[in-house]
Amino acid sequence: MSTSAPPPITSLTIDITQLPHGAGLPLPHYETQGAAGMDLSAALAEGATLTLEPNDWVGVPTGITMAIPLGYEAQIRPRSGLATKQGITLLNAPGTIDSDYRGEVKVLLINHGKSPFVITRGLRIAQMVIAPVTTAHWRETSRLSETVRGSSGFGSTGLNLTGI
């Protein structure tokens, strides 16, 4: 019986600033040791609420700014519990925060549910994953390599999507 070492964990230090309206809220953090995403909280004023009606969307402040190192991005993703139980997700999922952005992180929530959804201060509204970025450089050519699929598009690998 052989045992293998666990995979290495990549760790990255990111500078973060908590804005005045985010004071007292937890910084983004992992809920468990194996979590890939850090929870982001709504930074509404103390006692304030924000009601998100069905089919409506709003940018929710998180009260943080950060300096993501060059070569990385922050991906803002929905929380599965909010999506499953309330129909709350992100309008632009995943949202991308670039390494050169220094403004406040806001989460663009949309209510796909059937009932109004109330957002309160400190509610965990999304998760943030830090990921490496690969940059691409284009090389223009007059001919692309051949593949089995070729130029077959929508529906060509199993779904029959007519009219697209």
Side-chain angles (χ1 to χ4, degrees), residues 48-127:
T49 62
L50 184 63
T51 300
L52 190 54
E53 297 292 335
N55 299 313
D56 205 1
W57 61 86
V58 67
V60 181
T62 63
I64 60 168
T65 62
M66 57 189 166
I68 300 168
L70 185 64
Y72 292 88
E73 66 164 327
Q75 298 174 1
I76 309 303
R77 301 178 181 182
R79 292 196 66 236
S80 59
L82 289 180
T84 300
K85 297 173 187 170
Q86 307 290 331
I88 304 299
T89 190
L90 274 61
L91 190 59
N92 63 328
T96 297
I97 301 185
D98 298 307
S99 65
D100 58 352
Y101 177 68
R102 295 295 183 269
E104 180 177 9
V105 175
K106 291 188 178 179
V107 176
L108 190 54
L109 292 180
I110 185 167
N111 184 352
H112 285 303
K114 298 177 182 168
S115 303
F117 179 73
V118 178
I119 301 165
T120 57
R121 179 177 176 80
L123 180 69
R124 294 180 298 154
I125 55 172
Q127 57 182 328

Side-chain angles (χ1 to χ4, degrees), residues 133-139:
V133 172
T134 300
T135 56
H137 302 278
W138 298 107
R139 180 180 62 215

